[in-house]
Amino acid sequence: MRGIFRAALVAIFLTGPGPLTYAALADQGGLASLYPGPSGQPSEKLQARWDAMSNRTLSLLLKCLEQLSLRKPEAALENCSQALQLDPVNASAHKLRGEAYFMLGDMARAKREFDYAVKFDPSDPESFAGRGDTHRNQGAYARAIADYTKAIALSPNDERLLMVRCWTRAIWAKDLDKALADCDHSLALNYEFALGYNARGLVYLRMNVLSLALRDYNEALRLQSEFPIASFGRGITHSRLRQYRAAHRDFAAARRLDPQIDAKYAAWGFRLQKAPSNRRPLCSTKPCVQTALTMTPRAIPHGTPAKSALAILTGRGGRSSGAVRRQLPQIGR
């Protein structure tokens, strides 16, 4: 009977990114991983931990994990808490309870649970990664990087851990060369990793290397079509390339999938500038209105004729438009 419980737990952990992990990672939040690394087999230490658990504890952990996969964190908390009553120093139970609190948006309690998980089993990279996620969501990027670095030291060839450290540096906009190295390594390990392409796309966008950012966003969306973070990032890239119709389509797709996407990018320093409502708008044609989403009209001299304003905004204003365009701020810089 004991072997059946253990086999079931191994099967769930080794299934790959199921509903919980996939959804969490697709939103660039949540645990970097909830199952053993890419080798597909539990480590000897992990196997030993499972062997030491009672059947009742294993059963409760299975129920906890099942509820997490169904996006029911309250029920997961109840099962994990029962497991901890039987085994107060069970690192896996603390880790899963940390994920439940993370889903509920309670970062303080989530961090406390991951602290316990790290204390009771400092050899588990997933616990460090989970604590790193709570730091990242609280804007403590340096602490998040430190935890991801500890996780990577324990599991150096896990593409998910490398990706999440790359992503954190990208949204922090620091050490972009190190971020690029992490993303390159992650994609070398798994060249069909949509999250890796999305993270590297943001790095290139920060660097303003627009052709490479567009390439990576295209690949991320090819691998995962409904990916609002990638769609919005590609929209910003299109807007910087003055491909405004394509940008408008990407922004619309991202907002349809995630109504909070503008706020997320604003928190990372990317803010789209909308044209103020004036008594006499600079222009009223559809291309000009779309362009005004990404380029400030204040850079156009007051009283500019509508036809000339449209030419400037769309990059067809001759020599005079070049001087004006150089005054336009880069989005998110």
Side-chain angles (χ1 to χ4, degrees):
M1 188 61 143
R2 183 182 181 77
I4 295 175
F5 279 121
R6 185 166 59 249
L9 187 62
V10 172
I12 290 180
F13 270 86
L14 298 182
T15 304
L20 164 66
T21 308
Y22 186 82
L25 281 174
D27 192 38
Q28 303 289 357
L31 281 177
S33 57
L34 277 178
Y35 52 94
S39 66
Q41 296 294 330
S43 66
E44 292 182 3
K45 290 183 179 179
L46 182 59
Q47 190 70 54
R49 288 199 300 272
W50 291 345
D51 288 339
M53 295 181 195
S54 68
N55 285 343
R56 177 60 177 161
T57 303
L58 281 170
S59 176
L60 288 167
L61 285 180
L62 283 170
K63 291 179 181 178
C64 177
L65 193 57
E66 179 185 15
Q67 295 303 321
L68 286 173
S69 70
L70 295 173
R71 313 294 294 179
K72 296 180 179 179
E74 294 89 351
L77 281 175
E78 182 179 351
N79 289 313
C80 280
S81 296
Q82 291 178 25
L84 286 169
Q85 289 176 2
L86 298 173
D87 184 1
V89 296
N90 189 300
S92 295
H94 281 294
K95 178 175 64 177
L96 294 178
R97 195 161 70 168
E99 175 67 14
Y101 281 126
F102 190 100
M103 281 186 180
L104 292 170
D106 192 337
M107 295 298 126
R109 288 184 177 178
K111 179 186 175 298
R112 182 189 64 191
E113 294 300 325
F114 290 127
D115 282 340
Y116 282 128
V118 167
K119 176 182 178 181
F120 296 140
D121 183 8
S123 67
D124 186 357
E126 299 154 12
S127 298
F128 285 107
R131 190 170 68 179
D133 290 338
T134 65
H135 285 313
R136 189 190 68 235
N137 273 32
Q138 293 176 312
Y141 297 120
R143 292 182 180 180
I145 293 295
D147 273 334
Y148 294 141
T149 300
K150 292 175 182 176
I152 291 169
L154 293 167
S155 183
N157 291 319
D158 190 327
E159 69 269 21
R160 297 156 300 171
L161 296 175
L162 291 161
M163 177 280 298
V164 79
R165 189 170 68 175
C166 169
W167 172 255
T168 302
R169 284 186 169 127
I171 62 175
W172 193 20
K174 289 191 176 183
D175 295 327
L176 294 179
D177 55 335
K178 295 180 181 179
L180 189 58
D182 277 341
C183 273
D184 286 344
H185 189 185
S186 175
L187 289 167
L189 293 166
N190 182 359
Y191 67 92
E192 291 191 343
F193 190 25
L195 297 171
Y197 287 109
N198 173 68
R200 194 170 69 177
L202 184 62
V203 175
Y204 282 132
L205 184 58
R206 289 287 197 193
M207 293 177 169
N208 212 35
V209 184
L210 301 181
S211 60
L212 295 182
L214 185 60
R215 180 201 65 184
D216 278 347
Y217 281 130
N218 285 339
E219 189 64 14
L221 288 163
R222 181 188 71 82
L223 293 166
Q224 184 177 324
S225 58
E226 294 192 346
F227 199 166
I229 287 180
S231 294
F232 204 88
R234 188 171 71 175
I236 295 175
T237 306
H238 278 308
S239 72
R240 289 188 182 180
L241 291 168
R242 300 185 178 87
Q243 298 169 357
Y244 304 115
R245 292 183 185 275
H248 179 76
R249 288 193 296 269
D250 281 335
F251 292 145
R255 289 166 182 148
R256 174 177 56 82
L257 294 168
D258 183 359
Q260 303 300 319
I261 193 67
D262 288 82
K264 291 176 182 177
Y265 266 87
W268 304 330
F270 294 87
R271 293 178 175 83
L272 301 184
Q273 299 183 9
K274 296 183 178 180
S277 57
N278 299 322
R279 292 182 180 178
R280 296 180 61 186
L282 291 172
C283 57
S284 58
T285 61
K286 187 175 180 180
C288 181
V289 173
Q290 291 175 340
T291 302
L293 289 172
T294 53
M295 304 180 75
T296 172
R298 288 193 296 273
I300 300 174
H302 180 70
T304 302
K307 185 176 181 180
S308 300
L310 177 59
I312 292 172
L313 285 169
T314 55
R316 296 193 295 269
R319 293 181 180 178
S320 60
S321 66
V324 173
R325 287 199 302 272
R326 282 191 290 273
Q327 302 174 31
L328 300 177
Q330 292 285 354
I331 299 174
R333 301 293 290 178

